[in-house]
Amino acid sequence: MSAPSLEVTGLAYAYPDGHQALYGVDLRISRGERVALLGPNGAGKTTLVLHLNGVHRAGAGHVAVGGLPVEKRNLQEIRRRVGVVFQDPDDQLFMPTVADDVAFGPANFGVTGPALDSRVRGALDAVGMAEHADRSPMHLSGGQRRRVALATVLACDPEILVLDEPSSNLDPVARRELAEVLVGLDRTMLMVTHDLPYALQLCDRAVVLDAGVVVADGPIRELLADDEFLRRHRLELPFGFRVPDA
Amino acid sequence: MGAGHSLHHPGSSVVHRLPAHVKIVVTFLLVLAVVATPREAFWIFGEHLGLLVGIWVAARLPVASIAVRSLIEAPFVVLAVLLPFAAAGPRVEWLGLSLSYDGLLAGWNILVKGTLGVLISVTLGMTTPVRDLLSGLGRLRVPGMVTTIATLMVRYLEVIVAEARRMRLARVARGHDPRFLWQIGPTVRGVGTLFLRSYERGERVHLAMLARGYTGAMPVTDDAGATRRTWARALVPAVVAVLGAATGYALT
């Protein structure tokens, strides 16, 4: 039995201004699982994500990725293992061309020459953006930018993909296309989102974070069918949406 | 507004195919030669322009596109035209106007050197994609921090301009229609907001770079070297221009 992709135990964190964001979070994600991280605004979702790749250092508790603890001396390897796709692709894509941007991550981790080229090609193929390799990210549509942002992280061959609001600002078609790409990747995924139907479509399991603690962890279908539970934690399905029968 | 995208004129000529760092060095030498040419050596400037025209022909650059891209110089032309009227010293009469002799020379100096400098830079920009320029600077051992800043500027200029346009649109949509200087307040506050937003975006970009293993140095991803032969051929116009400038000194 190999180590789980992600293991978080008793994670607590307070911002320098004293605001406590996390109060002892436990989370374990096995290899190959797709997990939705749900919760209202300010629940601590983003704070948790920034612990996974060592941007924030745990106040108390412990985070390990593929068995490797998140510590200062492992930081570079941890950042390779945790691929974070940020919410705004314009924050993520900063190089003059798509191919340069996809190469940025693996090049930082020491991949060079033909190996780097094949990483870039492989990642762009996986998201269906290979023919746009030499364009500027500025000239792509929102959905294409989102897929390129995903490719920049895939090129690092991460142990776990962390997606921050993957469906935000996408039109319905781009949203569906992204879902198809994500399902086709066959990777461990943690998806932070307010888009509950999207989470239901992509994930079997959901973890609900509210006020810095995990208030539920289980099959997403059951969680989303529990109106009373959703209301209690400021979660809400879109108007007219019902959890379809399995 | 598309910095770098509107400047570049794609092609496959000899000039286009030269490695970027070679072109940067040649450009730098050409500009130096132009600036060093004494202002009284009028015909040397003609020689410089002839060289440049030769490069344009080799690169198959359309003159109209060069002209459009050179419009950036316009404000300096205004200054150059004003100088003969404003400067002191002995004056000459021309078409009933009293012009300063020193002012005329100074104006000519700004005009000819500025124009040639802009034309040389535009030629570099039209034949070299921004990405290659940046990696070329890297090859020339320009500190990584400088090329990183330049890379980010090229990329985010468009993002920030787009953001500024959206903010202006949002102001206009609510009836803001500045016509006079004292109505400029909201625009100025908009600039302040834009600065803050850009600053915050900078922090997010940095965070996203860290998440992909950035440690403060840009990884080198391409490696296009230049042979001695390439250098020798590319340096010909620069050498001619430098010799021209030296001749100018000898003659004046």
Side-chain angles (χ1 to χ4, degrees):
Chain A
M1 176 73 200
S2 62
S5 282
L6 179 68
E7 188 156 41
V8 178
T9 40
L11 179 66
Y13 180 75
Y15 278 96
D17 66 0
H19 169 70
Q20 180 98 19
L22 299 175
Y23 297 85
V25 170
D26 296 302
L27 176 62
R28 186 188 164 94
I29 300 180
S30 310
R31 191 154 293 166
E33 263 192 302
R34 284 201 296 266
V35 179
L37 180 59
L38 312 175
N41 286 332
K45 302 188 296 293
T46 305
T47 310
L48 175 59
V49 165
L50 293 179
H51 275 91
L52 304 185
N53 64 1
V55 168
H56 289 332
R57 223 54 58 75
H62 179 78
V63 181
V65 182
L68 186 72
V70 175
E71 286 171 5
K72 194 160 178 145
R73 63 195 163 90
N74 299 334
L75 215 49
Q76 198 68 357
E77 174 61 13
I78 287 293
R79 286 179 180 166
R80 189 193 66 71
R81 292 187 184 195
V82 180
V84 185
V85 182
F86 288 86
Q87 184 173 356
D88 185 349
D90 276 336
D91 293 345
Q92 186 135 9
L93 306 176
F94 69 98
M95 295 286 270
T97 70
V98 166
D100 285 344
D101 219 305
V102 177
F104 174 75
N108 277 325
F109 299 120
V111 184
T112 53
L116 183 61
D117 292 341
S118 82
R119 283 280 190 100
V120 171
R121 215 171 320 113
L124 285 174
D125 274 336
V127 300
M129 289 296 293
E131 75 264 38
H132 300 290
D134 292 319
R135 293 180 66 187
S136 158
M138 199 60 205
H139 299 164
L140 301 176
S141 73
Q144 290 174 325
R145 269 186 240 185
R146 188 67 54 106
R147 280 186 279 150
V148 171
L150 178 60
T152 65
V153 167
L154 283 178
C156 304
D157 190 22
E159 165 89 31
I160 178 168
L161 263 180
V162 180
L163 305 154
D164 190 2
E165 289 291 352
S167 62
S168 66
N169 289 325
L170 296 186
D171 64 41
V173 174
R175 183 172 173 277
R176 174 182 53 75
E177 286 170 345
L178 182 68
E180 285 165 1
V181 168
L182 289 175
V183 169
L185 289 178
D186 197 25
R187 282 187 186 262
T188 314
M189 251 176 239
L190 180 65
M191 196 171 111
V192 180
T193 187
H194 292 297
D195 186 343
L196 302 183
Y198 208 55
L200 178 66
Q201 182 185 351
L202 287 168
C203 306
D204 299 321
R205 175 181 160 204
V207 174
V208 181
L209 201 62
D210 194 3
V213 287
V214 173
V215 292
D217 182 350
I220 190 165
R221 190 170 288 277
E222 289 172 23
L223 287 176
L224 295 190
D226 186 345
D227 289 341
E228 171 52 27
F229 169 80
L230 293 184
R231 207 171 9 256
R232 215 165 42 237
H233 297 290
R234 272 188 77 80
L235 293 172
E236 200 168 284
L237 289 166
F239 176 75
F241 185 86
R242 294 251 118 242
V243 176
D245 294 322
Chain B
M1 293 295 146
H5 303 286
S6 58
L7 189 59
H8 185 229
H9 181 83
S12 58
S13 72
V14 196
V15 185
H16 282 87
R17 287 199 311 269
L18 274 179
H21 59 291
V22 176
K23 281 188 270 187
I24 293 169
V25 169
V26 172
T27 302
F28 185 66
L29 289 176
L30 283 177
V31 171
L32 274 188
V34 166
V35 172
T37 306
R39 58 188 187 181
E40 293 88 356
F42 301 110
W43 61 273
I44 301 283
F45 292 106
E47 175 255 15
H48 290 327
L49 183 64
L51 266 180
L52 212 44
V53 171
I55 295 175
W56 294 340
V57 171
R60 296 196 192 87
L61 297 181
V63 174
S65 320
I66 300 170
V68 169
R69 289 164 170 84
S70 304
L71 280 179
I72 189 171
E73 200 202 352
F76 301 97
V77 173
V78 173
L79 179 67
V81 169
L82 285 180
L83 267 178
F85 296 99
R91 305 190 80 80
V92 286
E93 293 293 326
W94 181 68
L95 293 179
L97 295 170
S98 166
L99 304 174
S100 151
Y101 180 71
D102 282 344
L104 269 176
L105 265 186
W108 153 256
N109 195 34
I110 292 178
L111 193 63
V112 72
K113 290 184 178 176
T115 308
L116 284 172
V118 167
L119 290 176
I120 293 168
S121 314
V122 165
T123 308
L124 175 68
M126 284 178 75
T127 55
T128 322
V130 174
R131 171 171 52 129
D132 295 0
L133 280 179
L134 294 169
S135 60
L137 286 173
R139 276 194 77 87
L140 293 170
R141 307 278 159 84
V142 171
M145 191 51 73
V146 176
T147 51
T148 306
I149 290 172
T151 309
L152 292 174
M153 248 178 64
V154 168
R155 168 69 178 87
Y156 284 101
L157 195 63
E158 294 182 59
V159 175
I160 290 169
V161 166
E163 195 150 340
R165 201 175 295 138
R166 285 198 301 274
M167 286 167 66
R168 195 192 72 89
L169 214 58
R171 279 198 304 275
V172 171
R174 280 176 291 163
H176 182 62
D177 183 16
R179 285 162 187 280
F180 304 104
L181 199 58
W182 57 87
Q183 295 173 327
I184 207 171
T187 308
V188 171
R189 275 190 289 277
V191 171
T193 311
L194 187 65
F195 174 78
L196 284 180
R197 283 195 195 175
S198 306
Y199 183 82
E200 285 168 358
R201 183 183 292 280
E203 290 192 323
R204 294 200 302 273
V205 170
H206 184 240
L207 199 63
M209 287 168 78
L210 286 182
R212 282 196 281 158
Y214 179 69
T215 50
M218 292 296 270
V220 179
T221 49
D222 74 326
D223 220 29
T227 61
R228 242 168 237 270
R229 228 177 109 88
T230 313
W231 274 110
R233 279 199 313 196
L235 282 171
V236 168
V239 170
V240 173
V242 170
L243 287 179
T247 316
Y249 267 109
L251 294 183
T252 54

